[in-house]
Amino acid sequence: MDNEIKKLTKKYESNMIISGRGMLFLGLWSVFKLVVGYIFGADKIIDTQLDLPEIDEAATELIVWLIIAVTGLVIMLSCLYVGIKAIRYGRGIKRKKGFLVIVVIIGVLNIVGIPGYFTELKISDWDSAIASALVDLTFASMSFDMVYSAIRLGMLNKKRLKEA
């Protein structure tokens, strides 16, 4: 039984490390997607969503870039935090599970954001919308796998301590 617990512990520790690295990539991907989405749809955002007649177009664009920069920074820092914590958790350095709350929020936000890809689509945009939705589903499943692996590791550690 002890050998089986070691195998399962190694498996879930590897899952945590891989998911942590994936979370680091998620941060980079999300910021890239945010910036590219603005660059290719900047005129639509400025014209329709920020109709501020008293501010000129240059100031409006500056405000939008500031919002994008702050949003990108928050996304990147939260993914960096979660990724590093998951890697440390998988390596057995720290066994605190507080970062899993952020992981659940990220996973849920990825799922909730998927319908947004399919609003106001042209025929030529379907391939990129489907690809983006699949990437977000992949990251959501990675997030929930990270939570599951952390829970299983906690249960295995309790079982190992109980047997010792």
Side-chain angles (χ1 to χ4, degrees), residues 2 5 37 40 56 67 88 100 120:
D2 189 39
I5 291 175
F40 289 116
D56 65 346
I67 291 170
R88 286 182 178 176
L100 294 176
E120 300 179 20

Side-chain angles (χ1 to χ4, degrees), residues 126-138:
W126 277 97
D127 56 345
S128 63
I130 290 171
S132 294
L134 289 174
V135 169
D136 281 1
L137 279 173
T138 303

Side-chain angles (χ1 to χ4, degrees), residues 28 30 44 50 56 65 70 75-76 86 109 125 131 151-152 160:
L28 293 174
S30 297
K44 188 191 309 184
L50 290 176
D56 65 346
W65 273 112
V70 168
I75 291 169
M76 190 62 212
L109 287 177
D125 294 339
I151 291 169
R152 291 291 294 162
R160 188 172 34 176

Side-chain angles (χ1 to χ4, degrees), residues 44-124:
K44 188 191 309 184
I45 291 173
I46 291 175
D47 291 342
T48 60
Q49 294 180 357
L50 290 176
D51 190 19
L52 306 172
E54 64 274 355
I55 301 176
D56 65 346
E57 190 173 324
T60 304
E61 190 165 344
L62 178 66
I63 291 170
V64 171
W65 273 112
L66 285 173
I67 291 170
I68 287 173
V70 168
T71 304
L73 186 65
V74 168
I75 291 169
M76 190 62 212
L77 288 177
S78 62
C79 289
L80 182 70
Y81 171 78
V82 167
I84 290 171
K85 290 290 187 177
I87 291 170
R88 286 182 178 176
Y89 192 92
R91 290 185 177 155
I93 296 171
K94 290 197 175 184
R95 293 290 183 177
K96 294 182 181 177
K97 297 180 184 178
F99 69 96
L100 294 176
V101 174
I102 298 172
V103 172
V104 170
I105 292 170
I106 290 172
V108 169
L109 287 177
N110 274 319
I111 291 173
V112 168
I114 290 174
Y117 293 125
F118 300 103
T119 58
E120 300 179 20
L121 280 180
K122 300 174 194 165
I123 300 288
S124 62

